[in-house]
């Protein structure tokens, strides 16, 4: 718990004046050496409203309120509970500012949902859901002549995004940086603007959690409950396709839904106020041959439709199994009363790590470990799964 509270504080000490929480707060002593894009690429310290400590300029799904609430709820004794109350009190206004930024500044499409300005913000970097929007961005691989991909030093090239996609990522980030990380409407300034169902589901879930935190710290939970209901309803109306029974990403420029069926499209299951018909449709999709929940093979859900012609069982987010997404779905299944399916998914996650180890992600069909070994979030989530079984 001490380390977890410290990590949350460290992140929020890097929060920008507009409320954005950058996805990286760099260690000034080694950020340039160990990571690309590093502090010099992002150039945050020269941007008005950015903190003195170097950070990236983009965000990721706002899971921080959920993390803080989990920490508080699992306090081991009165002393830990008092420490948790102190931390929640410090974090609450910062979490509110984070939500306000995403709900207002990032409502670039004007429909009431947050937009991504970069695929990295989704946490699902090269998901097939981004293929169509990314196709409008030139893939000038010569940009990689000026930079070295550090991800290839710790993983096989066939497991990672292609050079063409990586060149697009750099181009999009450079565009955002060149305009001072200002969020405004579509119009050619930024070439990638997408409403992601998983990101917005986490956004709504964070708002729901802030209602609980507000009650603990003496704030009014009512605005958070109202915002949760609004976000859930907008997500249900705007990104759910009744013909496919799953949520899809929407390209702001074309106003079209991506045809890709990805695990991110199942994540709105974490929302307790999701319409029952959509909950049932998502469970039907999760248990279909496309995702295989409950199959005799006993594997967790893949990141992409197993029957898709372009599935790649080992390439980052284009098919492999990720425990973080499955862990969220496990929570969603329990939220809506699917306890037997939740137990099946829990056991499949534990069994996967028992047989393959704590890898970053896993082969779609064999469960073999892929990517970085001894990956911390895989280990952490398995500990949580094991603890849940001991309740």
């Amino acid at each position: 718990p001490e380390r977890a509270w410290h990590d949350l504080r460290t992140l929020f000490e890097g929060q920008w004046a507009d409320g954005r929480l950058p996805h990286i707060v760099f260690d000034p002593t080694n950020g340039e050496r160990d990571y690309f894009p590093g502090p010099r690429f992002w150039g945050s310290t020269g941007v008005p409203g950015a903190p003195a400590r170097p950070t990236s300029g983009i965000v990721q799904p706002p899971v921080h309120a959920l993390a803080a609430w989990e920490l508080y709820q699992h306090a081991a004794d009165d002393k830990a509970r008092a420490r948790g109350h102190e931390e929640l009190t410090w974090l609450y206004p910062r979490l509110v500012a984070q939500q306000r930024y995403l709900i207002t500044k990032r409502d670039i499409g004007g429909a009431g949902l947050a937009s991504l300005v970069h695929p990295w913000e989704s946490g699902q970097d090269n998901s097939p859901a981004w293929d169509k929007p990314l196709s409008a961005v030139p893939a000038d691989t010569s940009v990689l002549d000026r930079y070295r991909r550090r991800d290839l030093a710790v993983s096989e090239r066939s497991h990672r995004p292609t050079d063409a996609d990586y060149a697009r990522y750099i181009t999009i980030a450079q565009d955002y940086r060149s305009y001072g990380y200002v969020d405004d409407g579509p119009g050619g300034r930024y070439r990638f603007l997408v409403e992601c169902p998983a990101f917005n589901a986490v956004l709504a879930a964070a708002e729901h959690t802030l209602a609980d935190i507000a009650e603990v710290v003496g704030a009014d939970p009512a605005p958070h409950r109202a915002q949760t209901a609004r976000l859930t309803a907008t997500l249900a109306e705007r990104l759910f396709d009744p013909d496919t029974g799953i949520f899809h990403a929407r390209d702001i420029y074309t106003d079209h839904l991506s045809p890709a069926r990805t695990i991110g499209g199942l994540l709105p299951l974490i929302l307790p106020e999701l319409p029952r018909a959509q909950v049932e449709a998502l469970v039907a999709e999760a248990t279909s041959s496309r995702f295989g929940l409950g199959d005799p093979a006993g594997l967790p859900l893949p990141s992409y439709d197993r029957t898709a012609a372009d599935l790649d069982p080992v390439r980052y987010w284009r098919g492999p199994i990720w425990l973080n997404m499955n862990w969220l779905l496990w929570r969603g299944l329990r939220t809506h009363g699917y306890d037997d399916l939740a137990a099946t998914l829990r056991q499949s996650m534990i069994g996967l790590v028992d047989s393959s180890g704590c890898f970053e992600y896993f082969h779609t069909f064999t469960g073999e470990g892929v990517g970085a070994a001894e990956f911390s979030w895989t280990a952490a989530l398995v500990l949580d799964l094991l603890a849940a079984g001991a309740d």
Side-chain angles (χ1 to χ4, degrees):
E2 291 292 325
R3 173 63 183 271
W5 287 125
H6 173 269
D7 284 357
L8 280 169
R9 272 191 176 253
T10 300
L11 281 172
F12 278 91
E13 286 168 356
Q15 189 169 30
W16 291 30
D18 61 8
R20 87 178 69 200
L21 189 70
H23 86 308
I24 303 173
V25 177
F26 286 103
D27 179 350
T29 64
N30 64 9
E32 208 65 62
R33 183 184 70 237
D34 292 344
Y35 201 84
F36 175 77
R40 281 200 298 268
F41 177 91
W42 294 107
S44 66
T45 54
V47 179
R53 185 168 178 173
T55 74
S56 64
I58 61 173
V59 302
Q60 281 200 328
V63 297
H64 313 82
L66 284 71
W69 185 240
E70 286 288 314
L71 270 172
Y72 177 77
Q73 287 185 300
H74 288 88
D77 50 37
D78 290 344
K79 181 179 179 181
R81 181 58 63 93
R83 166 71 189 281
H85 187 275
E86 176 186 338
E87 294 292 344
L88 285 184
T89 302
W90 185 88
L91 280 168
Y92 175 73
R94 293 162 174 83
L95 291 165
V96 170
Q98 176 191 28
Q99 292 288 110
R100 185 184 304 119
Y101 165 74
L102 294 172
I103 290 169
T104 59
K105 296 291 188 180
R106 283 301 189 88
D107 182 14
I108 299 174
L113 296 179
S115 295
L116 308 180
V117 301
H118 198 294
W120 287 339
E121 294 193 313
S122 68
Q124 306 163 69
D125 297 15
N126 63 324
S127 168
W130 322 135
D131 286 357
K132 188 64 175 177
L134 279 176
S135 68
V137 181
D140 180 11
T141 55
S142 67
V143 72
L144 299 177
D145 295 338
R146 301 192 298 275
Y147 303 112
R148 183 165 64 89
R149 288 184 58 177
R150 297 188 186 276
D151 61 317
L152 298 181
V154 296
S155 185
E156 293 185 29
R157 179 176 288 273
S158 64
H159 298 171
R160 302 291 297 182
T162 65
D163 279 350
D165 279 340
Y166 217 90
R168 291 185 175 102
Y169 303 154
I170 298 302
T171 296
I172 295 168
Q174 286 176 328
D175 287 348
Y176 196 38
R177 180 191 65 192
S178 69
Y179 287 106
Y181 302 109
V182 173
D183 302 303
D184 57 10
R189 179 179 289 191
Y190 303 133
R191 305 184 228 199
F192 181 92
L193 290 173
V194 171
E195 292 170 351
C196 168
F199 189 102
N200 280 282
V202 173
L203 181 66
E207 201 67 40
H208 182 269
T209 302
L210 277 174
D212 294 327
I213 295 175
E215 291 187 332
V216 169
V217 302
D220 183 4
H224 299 301
R225 294 192 178 115
Q227 191 69 269
T228 302
R230 186 197 66 77
L231 285 167
T232 301
T234 305
L235 177 64
E237 177 184 359
R238 185 159 173 80
L239 300 187
F240 183 77
D241 185 345
D243 292 333
T244 61
I246 192 172
F247 287 79
H248 298 265
R250 184 178 291 275
D251 186 337
I252 295 298
Y253 285 112
T254 66
D255 200 32
H256 290 161
L257 294 176
S258 164
R261 296 173 184 257
T262 72
I263 196 169
L266 299 173
L267 236 61
L269 198 63
I270 64 175
L271 300 175
E273 298 176 17
L274 195 68
R276 188 64 192 179
Q278 293 186 355
V279 169
E280 293 172 356
L282 292 181
V283 172
E285 181 70 5
T287 54
S288 74
S289 60
R290 288 180 287 272
F291 290 97
L293 175 59
D295 276 4
L299 290 172
L301 283 70
S303 52
Y304 184 36
D305 175 3
R306 296 188 308 184
T307 67
D310 58 344
L311 176 136
D312 188 328
V314 296
R315 194 179 293 278
Y316 218 55
W317 290 107
R318 302 191 71 86
I321 297 164
W322 293 77
L323 250 68
N324 54 351
M325 302 295 273
N326 278 273
W327 181 83
L328 286 167
L329 288 175
W330 169 67
R331 289 171 62 101
L333 289 167
R334 292 190 299 163
T335 294
H336 293 285
Y338 290 92
D339 294 341
D340 289 345
L341 280 176
T344 297
L345 181 55
R346 172 182 173 272
Q347 192 54 52
S348 71
M349 288 189 279
I350 294 171
L352 178 64
V353 172
D354 185 44
S355 61
S356 297
C358 291
F359 275 82
E360 184 178 4
Y361 49 103
F362 302 85
H363 191 288
T364 309
F365 301 112
T366 69
E368 179 184 0
V370 186
E374 300 181 352
F375 208 68
S376 60
W377 78 30
T378 301
L381 295 179
V382 170
L383 287 174
D384 185 68
L385 293 166
L386 292 170
D391 288 346

